Every structure is written in structure tokens, then in C-alpha cells.
Amino acid sequence: ATLTPLTKVTKGTKGTKAKSLKPAPLPAKAAAATNATNATANGLPRVEDVARSCVGTSGRRCVVILRGLPGSGKSSMARAIKKAASEMGGWSRVEVCSADNFFIDPASGVYKFDSSRLRQAHNTCWRHFKQSLDAGVEVIVVDNTNTQLWEYSNFIKEAFAQQVRVRLIEVTCPSVAHARRFASRNTHSVPVAHVIAMFKRWESDERALMITPTMVDRA
């Protein structure tokens, strides 16, 4: 199964939503992970099962695009995918591509954000993604906030061009109160006002598999 192409973006009173011709079906592996045995009480799949569905079986590649506000648990989801790959025999390499990595000092490991270099950071993330894709890396995780559709559309196009399946995983944020909570715990000290601004400009994507921050915390 592939992602359903978007046709247009419309704005309404409840925010901006992506509209597609048909509801986007989950890939077969993800659908299998949502059965009654593996589901949580609210019907959502367990993080461990989502991670395993991204790794899949030997010989099948996957690009995983994570969406979520700072502090929501995206990076924890990325780590869960790497853990799943290791536990499933280690046949698949996992590369995590993130603009945040640009701001981490390789010697000290200290994160120091510089807004004037944000474009450079995203360009570096894109190059890392392309190099990983061209090198045949089995699982490539794009770990950015991806608040709007245009921010990750080229990643999807490149993956499809190489016939690599794509999984969209969104860590939900139902309210401004939740956004404030994420801001209080994000490890990169993104200001509360910036996190709320991201929440307000968020574009939903009906193709994404939704997981909650609580699910990630418990994984």
C-alpha cells in the first residue's frame, strides 16, 4: 500500500486540514499491528508494534516520517524503531535524519541552537536523507517537527521515486495546554511561545498513523 496523494489543502474554523480523494489506508504491516491483541485500550496500536511494522521483513525498505511538536516524543519513537530493528535480527540498518543533529557539537555532545543556521541545518538533514536513500539503507527515519505538509513532501517524493514504502507517524497534540506541557519537557529548550506557534500552524494529514504522547512515554 502507498500513501494517498493529497489533492488540496483547505482551511476551516478548526485549523488547516489536508484533504485527499479517499481515506488513506494503513500499509498492510501497520494494519496487522492494530489487531485486538496488540491494541491499547483506546484502540490505538502499541508503540512497539508500530516500530516493528516500520522495520518490516528482510529486504523491504521503509522511510518513516515523524511528526510532532518539540517534547512530544518523536525522538523516543525513533529510538523505539532502532530498538525494534536490533531485536528483529539486526538485518536492517537504521539511519535517523534530523535537523537537530546539526546543532549538536560532535566533541561535547552539547546542543546549541542558532536560528540563523536553521536553513543550513535542514539542508544537511536533506543531504543525509538522500545519501541514506541512495546507499540502500533499509530504514530511514526523518525526525523533524514537520508541522506543515510542504516540510516533508519532498521526502515522500524521493522515497516513492526509489519505490520505497513510506510511513507517516504523528504524535498527537490535542490542545494548547498539551503544547505547553511539551514545551516544559523538550530537551532543546524551545520556548513555550514557539511551541504554541507550531501548534497553531499545524496541518493535519489524514494519511498519518496517530499515536499519543502517553503511548510513547510508556514504551
Side-chain angles (χ1 to χ4, degrees):
T2 58
L3 292 170
T4 303
L6 293 173
T7 56
K8 61 180 178 180
V9 174
T10 59
K11 292 186 177 180
T13 57
K14 294 184 179 180
T16 306
K17 291 188 176 182
K19 297 296 183 181
S20 58
L21 292 175
K22 298 178 181 179
L26 289 178
K29 293 288 183 180
T34 60
N35 61 32
T37 301
N38 294 330
T40 58
N42 60 3
L44 294 173
R46 298 188 309 171
V47 167
E48 296 92 335
D49 297 315
V50 174
R52 286 175 175 270
S53 75
C54 294
V55 177
T57 56
S58 179
R60 193 175 187 204
R61 300 174 66 197
C62 183
V63 165
V64 183
I65 298 176
L66 301 178
R67 307 188 70 209
L69 298 179
S72 63
K74 296 184 309 302
S75 296
S76 296
M77 185 70 236
R79 287 191 290 272
I81 293 171
K82 294 190 76 169
K83 180 181 178 183
S86 175
E87 292 175 346
M88 294 172 72
W91 67 266
S92 59
R93 294 166 293 173
V94 179
E95 282 290 332
V96 178
C97 305
S98 175
D100 279 335
N101 292 340
F102 180 82
F103 299 108
I104 298 175
D105 184 280
S108 65
V110 175
Y111 179 91
K112 187 176 182 180
F113 181 73
D114 180 351
S115 60
S116 67
R117 305 184 72 189
L118 191 56
R119 181 183 294 274
Q120 189 177 354
H122 280 281
N123 287 341
T124 300
C125 174
W126 172 254
R127 286 195 299 272
H128 183 193
F129 171 79
K130 278 282 293 168
Q131 290 167 356
S132 300
L133 197 62
D134 294 340
V137 172
E138 288 82 6
V139 182
I140 306 171
V141 181
V142 180
D143 179 14
N144 292 326
T145 53
N146 290 317
T147 61
Q148 297 180 304
L149 308 180
W150 68 266
E151 297 178 50
Y152 56 91
S153 61
N154 284 337
F155 291 92
I156 294 175
K157 289 177 184 177
E158 286 295 323
F160 282 176
Q162 295 200 28
Q163 298 183 323
V164 176
R165 66 183 176 129
V166 175
R167 296 293 312 282
L168 274 173
I169 300 175
E170 178 178 327
V171 186
T172 61
C173 180
S175 68
V176 171
H178 283 81
R180 290 183 182 276
R181 194 177 308 157
F182 293 166
S184 70
R185 71 178 193 178
N186 85 85
T187 58
H188 295 151
S189 301
V190 180
V192 175
H194 290 188
V195 177
I196 292 176
M198 292 181 193
F199 171 76
K200 291 182 175 179
R201 70 169 181 256
W202 190 273
E203 290 180 351
S204 64
D205 192 332
E206 295 172 353
R207 303 169 299 178
L209 174 65
M210 306 295 182
I211 61 175
T212 68
T214 302
M215 291 165 60
V216 178
D217 292 342
R218 292 175 179 174

